[in-house]
Amino acid sequence: MLRLLNRDGWAGALVGLILIAPCAVAQQPADTTRLEPVVVTANRLPTPVGDVPAAVTILEGRELEARGIDYVADALRDVAGVDVARNGSYGGVTSAFVRGGESDYLKVLVDGVSLNDPGGAIDLAHLTMDNVDRIEIVRGPVSVLYGSDAVSGVVQIFTRRGTGALRGDVSVRGGTYKSVDANGGIAGGTNVLDYALSAARSRTDGIYESNNDYSNTVWSGTIGVRPDDRTDARVTLRYGASQYHFPTDGLGAVVDDNAFQRRDQIVLGAEAGRFLSGGMEARLTLGLNQADGGIDDRPDGPADTLGYFAYSSLYSAIRRSADLRVNAFLPAATVLTVGGAVEWQRERSADETLSEFGPSASSFDATRTNGGLYAQVQATPIAPLAVTVGGRLDENSAFGTFVSYRAGARYVLPTGTRVRGAAGKGFKEPTFFENFAAGPFARGNPDLRPERSQSWEIGIEQALWNGTVVVAATYFDQKFRDLVQYSFGSPDPSDPDFFNVAAAAAAGIEAELTVTAPLGLRITGAYTYLRTEVVDAGEGGGVGSALEEGARLLRRPTHGVSVVARQQIRNRGSVSATVRYVGDRDDLDFGTFPAARVTLPWYVRVDIAAEVRVWRAVGEHPAVGLTGRLENLFDTGYREVHGFLTPGRTIAVGLKVTL
């Protein structure tokens, strides 16, 4: 059993690990041969990043693992244009805002299968880095290829695939807040069959003194087959079960000693492809996303009888999808993609509230379907120019039809400078609660239209000194319309409480820098300037609401900077440091009525990490390594959500064995 040391003990161990790491061996020069990375998410088929007109970022799973990143949300914090906010301790609701869009405007996929609940909601609190090969982030609307939810961006996680002889690894780590993480996996493969399976378990006491336990168990795996050169098929599975205890109320005050939330989610995907004659490829993708969970907040004791003193809820959400598309590879480096998608959704929800005014309850059980037809052309009419144009028609059983599009181009100047531009339209269907709620405090509106966006961007990228330095900048502009808003107190109790009334805008600049220096040093930097504004607050907006006309959108900082430096140590490991600046942003203080708008101060946080191989057999394996990560090095006090604490300085040290 891993012995948990005190904070100073962990700090000493980690500092020692970081100090000895660079001295372990002499460093070797980096390989100067660089291949342009390929992105799949932008066009749903492998495409060189330089040919994509949208802004794209690729995060390598192995590098994130070396930096000690455990959760996908923490990996996204260092991406230009992305802001992340967590509601308190580990396991608290975690939201990502891309280019100022709402948190449900980001579509998150695992191997092609959506993780979002119906209506776009996505909580990143439990999405771990276990068995992750890489993460692709495409900013801007991609509804043409992915339908609803892909309004301001798409994040796709690709599961690690096995190669070569059977290989296994086991690791364990512990640290501050009595945190313990353990995981293990096996992988291997040939040209015909590959496989990778992993299991992980983590738990922590959390940052509050009581009732803040958090545990998360994840199983994931993939199996792929290639019976011949023209056919491939793959099945992927990811299952997660989490339980989060929270002592806080909606204001962040510590008031509860028994409230907890659980969530189980299974994501199953299958994809098969076949190259046909005449330069045609057919691909079929099937997906299942099922999430079940609820909140249990019983009375704290016999004396707990005032106000709203107890609450319980259960929910189940299912998305089943199928997508069939054909890629036609035509002359002049042209690819025509034509496809169709269908999705069936169901959500069941029930809740009960106990209060001094009497009990109340609500429930609903509803389904809806969506079908879409789409087409896209990628072409390179002349060598310096690449063009992408696409459109989509969706037919939804709730809101009817919706048309989305995107178009973009990339041009390479004689100097090697890449100039690109893109424009598009995205949409997000209403949530089931907004459509079908039937409780005493809210009634759904089955006639809601989808929320929609209109956006454009223009960017430039330049590689210097044989590609050792790459600089890029993007200006973007987004308009959000038909935002769904809750209206208090409808005249007739049978009238709906949700309407398409609000509008907002977001514009800004993303700047990125990548430096690949000799001797294994790599530095990446990202800066985001974001200007958001509520254009129309609607009937339920105004002072005290999330939408106040002329004000900034909540929890989106105007300025954000991230710098990551990682030093590779020849055959022995690496050390890394991350410096992140988050500017001031608006939030609401619900301790007053109406709620008061407050400003969360800016902060700077520094994280460091190291991994060192301390023993290796004559061959490549077995091997033993030490890992360490120190987050919030200077114990900075800051808030991501008003009223809720954030972790102080945390240290974790671990052991990894590869067989």
Side-chain angles (χ1 to χ4, degrees), residues 1 43 48 77 80 167 175 201 210 222 244 318 383 440 454 463 477 496 499 505 523 547 606 618 647:
M1 180 177 179
N43 292 315
R77 293 178 186 272
R167 174 177 173 173
R201 169 74 174 176
S210 63
T222 179
Y244 170 55
I318 303 175
Q454 188 80 37
D477 188 285
F499 303 93
I523 301 172
L547 298 178
V606 179
V618 176

Side-chain angles (χ1 to χ4, degrees), residues 31 34 67 135 151 166 265 406 414 426 484 552 584 586 596 610:
D31 187 355
R34 296 179 179 84
R67 291 172 51 202
I135 304 172
V151 179
L166 173 64
Q265 185 174 30
R406 73 168 180 168
V484 177
R552 293 189 294 183
D584 64 75
D586 291 351

Side-chain angles (χ1 to χ4, degrees), residues 190-196 222-226 232-235:
T190 65
N191 292 333
V192 178
L193 172 70
D194 66 80
Y195 56 91
T222 179
I223 299 176
V225 296
R226 293 185 61 88
D232 68 273
R234 181 167 300 278
V235 175

Side-chain angles (χ1 to χ4, degrees), residues 60-75:
E60 297 295 338
R62 181 65 190 90
E63 182 175 335
L64 295 172
E65 180 184 353
R67 291 172 51 202
I69 303 294
D70 293 324
Y71 288 87
V72 172
D74 292 327

Side-chain angles (χ1 to χ4, degrees), residues 33 88 134 453 532 630:
T33 301
R134 73 184 188 279
S453 74
T532 63
L630 197 159

Side-chain angles (χ1 to χ4, degrees), residues 95-442:
S95 304
F97 309 97
V98 178
R99 291 183 170 177
E102 297 291 331
S103 60
D104 52 6
Y105 286 2
L106 174 66
K107 188 148 196 168
V108 181
L109 308 165
V110 171
D111 295 318
V113 182
S114 174
L115 287 179
N116 300 67
D117 289 339
I122 178 74
D123 180 5
L124 298 174
H126 320 296
L127 185 55
T128 67
M129 287 293 303
D130 298 298
N131 213 23
V132 172
D133 179 62
R134 73 184 188 279
I135 304 172
E136 296 181 354
I137 302 100
V138 180
R139 300 187 287 281
V142 204
S143 288
V144 165
L145 296 178
Y146 297 103
S148 179
D149 314 336
V151 179
S152 57
V154 173
V155 169
Q156 180 155 206
I157 299 155
F158 290 92
T159 302
R160 185 175 292 121
R161 301 180 182 183
T163 58
L166 173 64
R167 174 177 173 173
D169 61 77
V170 177
S171 65
V172 62
R173 185 175 63 176
T176 312
Y177 306 121
K178 296 184 179 179
S179 300
V180 178
D181 304 283
N183 61 69
I186 59 172
T190 65
N191 292 333
V192 178
L193 172 70
D194 66 80
Y195 56 91
L197 306 172
S198 75
R201 169 74 174 176
S202 61
R203 71 156 309 280
T204 178
D205 281 359
I207 63 178
Y208 292 95
E209 292 185 359
S210 63
N211 192 40
N212 201 209
D213 299 355
Y214 172 64
S215 62
N216 191 13
T217 302
V218 177
W219 296 82
S220 66
T222 179
I223 299 176
V225 296
R226 293 185 61 88
D228 55 56
D229 293 339
R230 300 169 60 188
T231 309
D232 68 273
R234 181 167 300 278
V235 175
T236 59
L237 169 68
R238 188 177 184 92
Y239 169 76
S242 63
Q243 186 163 290
Y244 170 55
H245 291 253
F246 55 97
T248 51
D249 60 12
L251 306 177
V254 177
V255 297
D256 208 305
D257 61 9
N258 63 359
F260 71 92
Q261 172 182 306
R262 68 169 186 86
R263 180 178 174 90
D264 298 339
Q265 185 174 30
I266 182 170
V267 179
L268 179 63
E271 182 167 350
R274 172 77 175 178
F275 277 93
L276 311 173
S277 60
M280 307 277 285
E281 179 196 23
R283 301 203 68 84
L284 173 65
T285 304
L286 304 176
L288 167 67
N289 171 14
Q290 179 170 339
D292 301 279
I295 295 176
D296 187 321
D297 183 9
R298 302 176 187 181
D300 295 328
D304 189 7
T305 58
L306 299 178
Y308 293 89
F309 56 83
Y311 175 78
S312 64
S313 68
L314 292 172
Y315 75 91
S316 176
I318 303 175
R319 298 180 75 162
R320 298 192 181 105
S321 61
D323 184 292
L324 177 62
R325 59 197 179 277
V326 175
N327 298 314
F329 296 89
L330 306 174
T334 299
V335 181
L336 170 64
T337 300
V338 178
V342 293
E343 184 172 86
W344 179 83
Q345 304 174 357
R346 180 181 184 182
E347 186 168 313
R348 291 172 289 174
S349 175
D351 62 79
E352 181 180 6
T353 301
L354 300 180
S355 74
E356 61 181 297
F357 314 105
S360 61
S362 64
S363 65
F364 68 82
D365 184 347
T367 62
R368 65 187 179 197
T369 58
N370 188 81
L373 297 174
Y374 60 90
Q376 178 176 278
V377 176
Q378 304 170 66
T380 308
I382 56 176
L385 177 66
V387 178
T388 301
V389 179
R392 182 184 181 107
L393 173 65
D394 280 275
E395 176 68 31
N396 186 282
S397 60
F399 62 73
T401 61
F402 190 88
V403 176
S404 54
Y405 74 90
R406 73 168 180 168
R410 178 274 292 159
Y411 191 84
V412 181
L413 300 174
T415 59
T417 305
R418 289 173 175 163
V419 181
R420 55 179 179 79
K425 185 178 183 180
F427 75 98
K428 185 198 79 71
E429 62 190 350
T431 67
F432 268 80
F433 190 77
E434 292 166 344
N435 268 153
F436 305 112
F441 304 109

